[in-house]
Amino acid sequence: LLTALFFIIKSQSIGWTASLYGQGKLDAITKFLGLHPGHNLDYYLGRYEDVVFGPATQVISGLLFTALCLLYLKESSFLVFMGAAFAYLTVTKLDVLFFPPYGDAIGGPFMEAIWLAHHKFNYAQLLREPSYAEGGARVYLFSFYPTYLAVLMTVFKNVKIFLAVNHLLVYLMTAVIASTLRDILRKLYPDTIAILAALLFLYLPVTQVQAEAINMEIPCLLFVLWSAYYAVHKKFTAATLLAMAAVLAKGTGVLACAAGMGA
């Protein structure tokens, strides 16, 4: 029943909102929800997704996935839980697959990635390009992330395929992070607590937002968690190399290096 309700809301919410708007019945509901009435349909579609339908589908899918994990996946392997988390993210975010990048990702890593893809990865010329502050393409010169994007642009020339592949890779990275966190916690806590903590990470709004974006944060966090995983297992060479990889994903990954030095 919950699964059916999830897909009904996902498929019908836009139609419901448009129908109520057409009938002039949205203003009363909008006032009840504490929103501002008197706007056009696009405003209502966005706000109702933010305030009503989005949270409803998140709660429903979260309850379903938590029940599945507690019933069947408490003692599952790393790969099985990772696969389940990836499936959860993919199913609940199918509508995100063709979303374009937005915000600072466009003026940051994507600007450099597009330049690299159009200039045959000419890093010597990139060194001479104007910097980010000057509106140029030299933004994250010491990060491998723009190169990663540029390689995907070169391989997947169709824009929709490129976006879908990128989003799926972010879902996969997020699932690997959750599974790694669970494995770290299993050394200290019972399986139930470890899996609930991993689910808490997945359900955090900031995780949900970053899983839908195409940006540097999730790759950086992936290497940070891997570094922590190997540090916990006292494999400090691997932990050091992965902490360095976190820095090369994004500069804030230096926190992993600092944590390692502190330990």
Side-chain angles (χ1 to χ4, degrees), residues 90 93-99 160 163-165 167-168 171:
T90 302
K93 299 183 184 299
L94 276 175
D95 53 337
V96 176
L97 285 179
F98 301 114
F99 281 13
K160 286 189 175 181
L163 290 173
V165 168
H167 281 295
L168 288 170
Y171 297 168

Side-chain angles (χ1 to χ4, degrees), residues 138-195:
R138 181 165 51 85
V139 184
Y140 290 107
L141 193 61
F142 297 104
S143 170
F144 64 75
Y145 187 72
T147 299
Y148 158 83
L149 289 177
V151 169
L152 291 177
M153 288 177 188
T154 304
V155 174
F156 302 102
K157 298 186 182 298
N158 181 283
V159 174
K160 286 189 175 181
I161 294 175
F162 167 78
L163 290 173
V165 168
N166 256 290
H167 281 295
L168 288 170
L169 286 171
V170 176
Y171 297 168
L172 180 60
M173 291 181 209
T174 307
V176 172
I177 292 168
S179 197
T180 302
L181 177 62
R182 171 176 169 257
D183 265 23
I184 292 172
L185 293 174
R186 289 180 83 183
K187 291 181 67 68
L188 301 170
Y189 301 103
D191 287 338
T192 300
I193 292 177
I195 203 165

